Amino acid sequence: MTTVLNAVTAVLFPAGAAFCLLGALGLLRFPDTTSRLHAAAKAQTLGLLLVLVGAAAQMPGRHAAVLLLVALFQLFTAPISSQIIGRTAYRTHGLDRDLLLRDELADRLVRDGIPLPGHDRPQRDDDAER
């Protein structure tokens, strides 16, 4: 059983480290905020989860539960913080809106009566059909 756990850990640790490295490279290399958010939120979270599961496999049950709580905390906080950063970048013109295929937030802000400057366009008919 110990050999199996060691083999699982030997796979999970390098895989987690590789995802963390890819997430860090994405933060450095991607051109805009939305792309960087994906690198930070997705790859980094998966990398951390793989490392935590690998460490939990080597720990006694009572210590592994703490690592699993850390994993749950990461799963809850990463999407929320990414959403806040994305909204802030959108409202402060920190992202290139020309790269967006569809700007649903601008349409919603217009419907709610609080459009951003330069985005007071009504929703087009072809957008409503999608």
Side-chain angles (χ1 to χ4, degrees):
M1 187 67 173
T2 305
T3 307
V4 173
L5 285 178
N6 288 340
V8 167
T9 302
V11 170
L12 290 176
F13 278 160
F19 274 105
C20 288
L21 177 66
L22 290 173
L25 288 174
L27 284 174
L28 293 174
R29 300 287 303 188
F30 286 153
D32 61 341
T33 305
T34 52
S35 300
R36 289 178 181 163
L37 279 175
H38 282 288
K42 307 232 186 293
Q44 198 71 22
T45 302
L46 181 60
L48 178 65
L49 291 177
L50 289 174
V51 169
L52 288 174
V53 170
Q58 294 294 323
M59 297 278 184
R62 61 187 173 151
H63 298 299
V66 174
L67 292 176
L68 295 178
L69 283 176
V70 171
L72 281 175
F73 183 72
Q74 176 68 24
L75 284 174
F76 285 127
T77 58
I80 294 169
S81 61
S82 294
Q83 176 73 17
I84 292 169
I85 292 169
R87 284 268 180 131
T88 302
Y90 184 87
R91 289 179 183 260
T92 60
H93 306 287
L95 61 99
D96 187 9
R97 290 188 183 94
D98 295 332
L99 296 177
L100 298 176
L101 297 176
R102 183 178 167 111
D103 194 354
E104 293 176 358
L105 184 56
D107 295 338
R108 181 176 176 176
L109 291 174
V110 168
R111 277 195 319 267
D112 292 345
I114 47 172
L116 292 173
H119 281 62
D120 51 357
R121 62 179 172 83
Q123 186 177 11
R124 297 185 318 223
D125 291 334
D126 61 336
D127 286 344
E129 293 174 3
R130 291 184 195 166

